[in-house]
């Protein structure tokens, strides 16, 4: 008995099976482009082309470029914040900045570095990321100026990213990540310690 050929699945039937993969490609393409070019200079078309996806799918899954940015940040930086012990956060963020080409490396701080303050559309999401980092780092400092120390640590972290990834200044641009981490962390270690108490008259010595 002859069997008639099975009908090919329609495009509508195929999409649910591929939706997760397409969505992931869009997220990864957006994360890379936002980190390389900044939010404002990255177009929806460029994201779709790098992800090998139709622009319409980007709007279907994320609503807008800003919605895509929000999910990139949530998937990268905010997820890293939730998953990383506070005392390891600075080193984890620094290593991510130094090894941005590694598979699965979080690039949300690079996005922050290249984008914050350059477009009102992106500022809210990126400032929230910065505020969350500050909150966690401030909790490491047993002193009243914890927020200031956290901001100074973030300024150092982002400054390293600026010199290494944006300005590509040598020798930092080509330095071994382990060496950079060792030098920075050794210098920063006393930063989180409580200030030493001074006895009467000691401040005048």
């Amino acid at each position: 008995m002859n069997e008639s050929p099975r009908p090919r699945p329609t495009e509508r039937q195929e999409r649910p099976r591929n939706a997760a993969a397409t969505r992931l490609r869009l997220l990864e393409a957006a994360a890379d482009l936002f980190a390389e070019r900044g939010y404002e200079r990255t177009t929806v078309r460029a994201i779709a082309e790098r992800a090998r996806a139709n622009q319409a799918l980007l709007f279907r899954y994320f609503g807008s470029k800003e919605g895509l940015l929000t999910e990139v940040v949530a998937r990268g930086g905010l997820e890293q914040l939730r998953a990383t012990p506070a005392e390891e956060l600075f080193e984890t963020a620094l290593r991510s900045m130094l090894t941005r080409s590694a598979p699965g490396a979080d690039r949300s701080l690079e996005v922050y570095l290249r984008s914050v303050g350059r477009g009102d559309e992106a500022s809210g999401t990126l400032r929230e990321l910065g505020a969350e980092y500050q909150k966690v780092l401030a909790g490491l400092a047993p002193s009243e100026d914890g927020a200031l120390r956290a901001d100074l640590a973030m300024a150092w972290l982002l400054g390293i990213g600026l010199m290494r990834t944006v300005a590509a200044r040598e020798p930092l641009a080509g330095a071994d990540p382990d060496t950079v981490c060792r030098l920075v962390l050794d210098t920063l270690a006393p930063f989180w310690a409580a200030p030493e108490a001074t006895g009467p008259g000691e401040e005048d010595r």
Side-chain angles (χ1 to χ4, degrees), residues 65-82:
K65 188 173 81 164
E66 184 180 10
L68 179 55
L69 172 69
T70 299
E71 190 139 354
V72 165
V73 169
R75 179 175 175 265
L78 296 179
E79 185 175 290
Q80 180 170 272
L81 278 164
R82 290 192 295 268

Side-chain angles (χ1 to χ4, degrees), residues 9-200:
T10 64
E11 184 180 12
R12 182 180 297 274
Q13 291 171 318
E14 288 175 346
R15 280 178 181 164
R17 294 190 301 176
N18 298 324
T22 301
R23 200 172 188 281
L24 179 60
R25 289 201 312 272
L26 286 165
L27 280 168
E28 291 176 343
D32 287 342
L33 287 170
F34 289 154
E36 293 164 10
R37 305 178 184 179
Y39 177 81
E40 289 298 315
R41 294 180 60 194
T42 298
T43 65
V44 169
R45 173 176 292 184
I47 295 169
E49 287 178 353
R50 182 168 293 197
R52 305 184 310 281
N54 191 296
Q55 292 183 52
L57 293 177
L58 185 152
F59 292 106
R60 173 182 295 179
Y61 297 144
F62 304 102
S64 63
K65 188 173 81 164
E66 184 180 10
L68 179 55
L69 172 69
T70 299
E71 190 139 354
V72 165
V73 169
R75 179 175 175 265
L78 296 179
E79 185 175 290
Q80 180 170 272
L81 278 164
R82 290 192 295 268
T84 307
E87 63 274 11
E88 298 175 11
L89 180 61
F90 186 91
E91 180 178 358
T92 300
L94 177 59
R95 286 190 180 278
S96 291
M97 187 82 77
L98 295 171
T99 57
R100 63 194 184 280
S101 60
D106 172 39
R107 305 191 69 182
S108 56
L109 284 179
E110 282 184 81
V111 179
Y112 183 98
L113 180 64
R114 291 184 184 268
S115 304
V116 72
R118 299 187 183 182
D120 293 338
E121 189 180 358
S123 291
T125 298
L126 294 171
R127 290 186 190 282
E128 179 185 354
L129 175 66
E132 289 297 320
Y133 266 91
Q134 185 208 52
K135 180 180 178 180
V136 174
L137 293 174
L140 296 175
S143 59
E144 294 181 357
D145 61 355
L148 175 59
R149 295 186 185 212
D151 269 355
L152 290 170
M154 284 294 293
W156 195 1
L157 177 66
L158 293 172
I160 290 170
L162 178 68
M163 296 291 286
R164 184 177 173 98
T165 67
V166 179
R169 183 180 176 87
E170 296 293 353
L172 179 56
D176 174 62
D178 287 335
T179 301
V180 176
C181 282
R182 175 177 54 79
L183 292 171
V184 171
L185 295 173
D186 285 351
T187 305
L188 194 64
F191 196 70
W192 306 118
E196 294 183 7
T198 58

